[in-house]
């Protein structure tokens, strides 16, 4: 959080002790050749290697301290894998080509950091873009490495890949991932967006996390100017009458995902599956109802804002139709208010760690495949703990430490959703920690938030439990304090991908 606030241009910082020896010179020389091909009369072509690198912001000098060296951008773009990972330990690139439209581990082609190539961003781009372009059923020609006769689809894929690399938080906990499937292209970068999703789609305003890297791509004709990249992707994709791209974020771990599906609004296979699922009554549905169900099947979940992107219907009509489909048993819902999401009846809500979900959901008895990184267990349900204890009839695990009957979150911390089943000593302790809130109806915000942090330390407390302990109404408590404390990284949610889950619980972020 502090890095995002302080480092406006994060990739411009000078790396102490890093020199030209840390660069893969083959990559760097190839870049210079592409630069010269693109701009044959540019004065940068007459510079020596160090001065050229300085002019493209890969080398810098601090005028106050006289410190000079490679920038983070220079190392990421042209460095050797071992040098990059010494500077950025979480650095990981991954391209996977999967044979089926499923979120599964199986792949038929893969590019990752295996030590057999440089491992830098420039080479990753060059390797992956060729894979993405291969087998596209649209006209395309190559003249050397330079693009000729571009189509909107090639432009969209190129921009999506550059955007992923330029906006990634390379200190984040997940890999840069690019996935190619028969039905879609998926792009993931670690880190949340620095403008809202809505603003990114509208265009005209950008806050690139790695501006020097973005500029390096622009120098050789790759990528779009700030604020125009995402609109270009959307325009290119919809020019083929394919389903609108899906740009979204996940908060734990922080990541941004872009899904480009090569499907129209009503694919024949999807319509057939829906008809088989719902029988004769399916033929009586309106076009809007069909669109909602098809989107739910293709994208696994749908919400009000997503439907506004792919239909021109009035927001009130969308709300009424969603409600009707739930009432008639076509859809199920999760969450409340603006956080409500909808999914096909008889299927499971995808877990928060699923990356690029299946184009068709499996019945709930089969579950859903987890993502490649396998970062954490699903947040759905509270399973038995590491000691193999079996939940009793009320779904709670008898705790051996005298804490009473507590659920256990997958991260190992206990989750308290009912004060009546916990041990008396723990109940007494929680009442003591929150006493000031029950005594004072008008408690200063900082005092209230300190009380909440003290109560949530070391375990999860549900909204219901917190409201009882603090003697406050649940909704004002969540809106007035809990949401802000989550944004400020003081609290963590048990279900970070589902902020309005009725099972939501909170713990201190220490």
């Amino acid at each position: 959080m502090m890095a995002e606030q302080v480092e406006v241009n994060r990739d411009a910082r000078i790396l102490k002790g890093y020199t030209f020896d840390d660069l893969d010179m083959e990559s760097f020389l190839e870049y210079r050749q592409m630069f010269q091909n693109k701009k044959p009369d540019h004065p940068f072509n007459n510079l020596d290697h160090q001065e050229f690198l300085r002019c493209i912001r890969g080398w810098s000098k601090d005028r106050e301290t006289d410190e000079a060296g490679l920038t983070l951008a220079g190392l990421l773009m042209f460095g050797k894998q071992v040098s990059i990972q010494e500077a950025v330990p979480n650095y990981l690139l991954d391209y996977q080509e999967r044979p089926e439209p499923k979120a599964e581990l199986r792949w038929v082609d893969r590019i990752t950091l295996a030590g057999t190539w440089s491992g830098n961003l420039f080479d990753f781009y060059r390797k992956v873009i060729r894979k993405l372009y291969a087998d596209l059923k649209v006209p395309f020609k190559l003249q050397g490495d330079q693009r000729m006769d571009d189509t909107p689809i090639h432009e969209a894929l190129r921009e999506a890949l550059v955007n992923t690399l330029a906006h990634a938080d390379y200190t984040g906990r997940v890999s840069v991932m690019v996935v190619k499937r028969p039905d879609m292209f998926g792009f993931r970068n670690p880190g949340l967006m620095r403008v809202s999703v809505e603003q990114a789609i509208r265009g005209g305003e950008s806050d690139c996390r790695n501006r020097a890297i973005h500029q390096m791509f622009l120098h050789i004709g790759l990528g779009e100017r700030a604020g125009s990249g995402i609109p270009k992707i959307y325009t290119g994709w919809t020019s083929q009458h394919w389903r609108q791209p899906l740009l979204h974020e996940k908060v734990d771990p922080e990541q941004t995902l872009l899904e480009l599906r090569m499907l129209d609004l009503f694919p024949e296979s999807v319509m057939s599956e829906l008809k088989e699922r719902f029988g004769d009554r399916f033929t009586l549905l309106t076009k809007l109802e069909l669109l909602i169900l098809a989107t739910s099947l293709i994208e696994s979940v749908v919400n009000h804002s997503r439907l506004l992107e792919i239909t021109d219907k009035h927001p009130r009509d969308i709300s009424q139709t969603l409600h009707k489909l739930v009432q008639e048993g076509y859809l199920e819902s999760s969450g409340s208010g603006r956080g409500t999401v909808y999914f096909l009846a008889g299927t499971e809500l995808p877990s928060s760690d699923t990356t690029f979900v299946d184009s068709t959901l499996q019945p709930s008895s089969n579950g859903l495949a987890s993502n490649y990184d396998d970062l954490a267990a699903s947040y759905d349900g509270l399973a038995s703990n590491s000691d193999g204890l079996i939940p009793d009839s009320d779904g709670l695990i008898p705790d051996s430490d005298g804490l009473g009957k507590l659920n256990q979150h997958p991260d190992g911390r206990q989750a308290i959703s009912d004060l009546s089943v916990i041990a008396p000593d723990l109940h007494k302790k929680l009442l003591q920690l929150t006493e000031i809130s029950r005594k004072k109806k008008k408690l200063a915000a900082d005092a209230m938030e300190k009380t909440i942090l003290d109560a949530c330390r070391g375990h999860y407390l549900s909204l219901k439990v917190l409201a009882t302990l603090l003697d406050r109404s649940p909704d004002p408590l969540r809106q007035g304090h809990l949401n802000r404390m989550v944004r400020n990284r003081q609290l963590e949610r048990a279900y970070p991908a589902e902020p309005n889950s009725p099972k939501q619980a909170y713990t201190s972020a220490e």
Side-chain angles (χ1 to χ4, degrees):
M1 179 177 65
M2 293 299 296
E4 293 286 10
Q5 291 177 347
V6 174
E7 299 181 48
V8 176
N9 192 9
R10 300 186 67 182
D11 60 346
R13 64 183 176 93
I14 299 171
L15 300 173
K16 294 182 180 180
Y18 284 80
T19 68
F20 259 80
D21 290 338
D22 294 294
L23 296 185
D24 181 85
M25 289 307 296
E26 185 177 343
S27 303
F28 179 63
L29 293 175
E30 182 64 30
Y31 179 89
R32 289 209 66 169
Q33 185 62 55
M34 291 181 68
F35 184 98
Q36 186 172 352
N37 293 343
K38 181 68 178 176
K39 305 174 179 179
D41 299 323
H42 200 287
F44 286 5
N45 291 321
N46 299 319
L47 303 175
D48 63 30
H49 289 337
Q50 181 171 315
E51 188 61 17
F52 177 86
L53 192 61
R54 186 186 71 82
C55 288
I56 64 170
R57 302 171 69 186
W59 183 277
S60 187
K61 180 178 180 179
D62 188 320
R63 297 183 184 276
E64 293 184 4
T65 65
D66 272 348
E67 179 186 3
L70 286 175
T71 63
L72 178 59
L75 182 67
L76 289 171
M77 195 71 168
F78 307 116
K80 300 172 183 175
Q81 177 182 324
V82 64
S83 299
I84 296 173
Q85 290 183 319
E86 286 173 352
V88 191
N90 290 342
Y91 178 80
L92 183 60
L93 307 174
D94 193 8
Y95 165 82
Q96 296 182 28
E97 187 169 330
R98 300 176 184 169
E100 298 179 64
K102 295 181 179 180
E104 59 177 19
L105 298 182
R106 193 160 73 93
W107 46 268
V108 294
D109 192 8
R110 190 175 186 187
I111 300 170
T112 190
L113 302 184
T116 56
W117 57 287
S118 69
N120 59 50
L121 299 184
F122 177 62
D123 281 348
F124 183 74
Y125 171 85
R126 291 197 299 153
K127 288 175 177 291
V128 170
I129 197 65
R130 291 185 176 94
K131 302 285 188 183
L132 297 179
Y133 285 169
D135 305 320
L136 279 182
K137 294 181 174 63
V138 284
F140 181 65
K141 295 179 182 179
L142 279 176
Q143 184 176 349
D145 286 331
Q146 302 303 305
R147 65 184 188 270
M148 300 291 292
D149 300 328
D150 260 354
T151 71
I153 302 309
H154 295 93
E155 291 180 356
L157 291 174
R158 183 170 60 250
E159 178 57 32
L161 181 55
V162 170
N163 216 50
T164 298
L165 300 178
H167 286 270
D169 178 3
Y170 292 101
T171 65
R173 290 190 288 146
V174 301
S175 65
V176 168
M177 178 183 278
V178 180
V179 170
K180 180 180 179 180
R181 298 191 331 211
D183 66 318
M184 69 166 287
F185 297 93
F187 300 84
R188 177 184 75 181
N189 64 260
L192 301 178
M193 299 183 65
R194 308 215 305 186
V195 299
S196 70
V197 171
E198 293 75 17
Q199 179 59 54
I201 295 172
R202 284 197 303 270
E205 183 177 327
S206 178
D207 187 6
C208 185
R209 183 174 275 109
N210 301 298
R211 296 179 187 175
I213 290 173
H214 188 234
Q215 187 65 39
M216 289 176 183
F217 280 115
L218 286 175
H219 278 312
I220 54 175
L222 303 174
E224 297 294 327
R225 292 290 174 182
S228 62
I230 297 297
K232 189 98 175 214
I233 295 171
Y234 272 65
T235 299
W237 219 250
T238 54
S239 72
Q240 299 297 305
H241 306 290
W242 285 336
R243 180 167 291 271
Q244 188 95 337
L246 177 59
L247 178 65
H248 59 115
E249 298 173 297
K250 294 184 179 180
V251 297
D252 188 18
E254 294 184 346
Q255 55 190 290
T256 302
L257 301 105
L258 174 65
E259 301 178 22
L260 304 177
R261 297 183 182 271
M262 295 174 287
L263 298 170
D264 59 32
L265 291 178
F266 300 101
E268 184 177 343
S269 60
V270 171
M271 293 295 103
S272 297
E273 181 167 344
L274 289 172
K275 186 174 182 180
E276 182 179 350
R277 184 185 293 264
F278 296 115
D280 293 339
R281 60 181 181 144
F282 176 73
T283 60
L284 303 176
L285 296 174
T286 66
K287 185 176 180 180
L288 177 57
E289 291 168 341
L290 290 173
L291 177 62
I292 292 173
L293 293 180
T295 302
S296 301
L297 181 58
I298 293 169
E299 300 181 5
S300 298
V301 293
V302 68
N303 59 21
H304 195 274
S305 60
R306 174 59 173 160
L307 291 170
L308 285 173
E309 294 178 1
I310 58 179
T311 179
D312 57 1
K313 295 296 184 180
H314 193 279
R316 183 178 61 253
D317 295 332
I318 294 174
S319 298
Q320 291 173 346
T321 304
L322 285 168
H323 182 65
K324 177 187 175 187
L325 290 172
V326 170
Q327 282 189 321
E328 295 181 355
Y330 290 97
L331 293 178
E332 295 180 27
S333 64
S334 176
S336 59
R338 293 185 179 181
T340 304
V341 296
Y342 301 85
F343 52 100
L344 285 180
T347 64
E348 287 185 343
L349 184 67
S351 62
S352 60
D353 62 346
T354 303
T355 302
F356 306 130
V357 295
D358 299 2
S359 62
T360 57
L361 286 174
Q362 301 299 319
S364 59
S365 60
N366 291 340
L368 287 168
S370 62
N371 70 334
Y372 153 71
D373 292 289
D374 195 23
L375 294 167
S378 168
Y379 288 112
D380 291 336
L382 296 168
S384 60
N385 65 8
S386 58
D387 294 325
L389 296 174
I390 306 300
D392 55 19
S393 59
D394 57 8
L396 300 169
I397 297 170
D399 190 273
S400 59
D401 296 325
L403 300 178
K405 292 181 178 179
L406 302 177
N407 287 319
Q408 183 163 320
H409 190 272
D411 69 10
R413 282 178 281 191
Q414 303 293 345
I416 303 173
S417 57
D418 187 347
L419 290 172
S420 67
V421 299
I422 66 175
D425 288 348
L426 178 57
H427 194 169
K428 181 179 179 182
K429 178 183 177 182
L430 290 173
L431 288 173
Q432 290 174 340
L433 290 172
T434 54
E435 184 179 13
I436 187 172
S437 176
R438 293 191 301 279
K439 285 186 174 180
K440 294 186 177 181
K441 291 300 179 185
K442 293 185 178 181
L443 189 62
D446 57 348
M448 173 62 85
E449 292 176 7
K450 180 181 182 304
T451 302
I452 293 171
L453 282 176
D454 289 341
C456 292
R457 188 166 287 113
H459 47 236
Y460 289 90
L461 297 182
S462 71
L463 177 60
K464 174 186 173 183
V465 165
L466 277 169
T468 300
L469 291 170
L470 300 168
D471 195 19
R472 296 293 190 272
S473 298
D475 285 342
L477 176 62
R478 182 179 64 240
Q479 296 167 9
H481 296 284
L482 300 180
N483 288 346
R484 179 171 66 248
M485 294 174 73
V486 170
R487 288 195 299 271
N488 293 338
R489 306 296 199 274
Q490 296 170 283
L491 290 179
E492 294 176 356
R493 293 186 177 107
Y495 299 85
E498 304 167 40
N500 297 307
S501 169
K503 298 186 292 183
Q504 193 60 267
Y506 302 83
T507 188
S508 66
E510 295 178 357

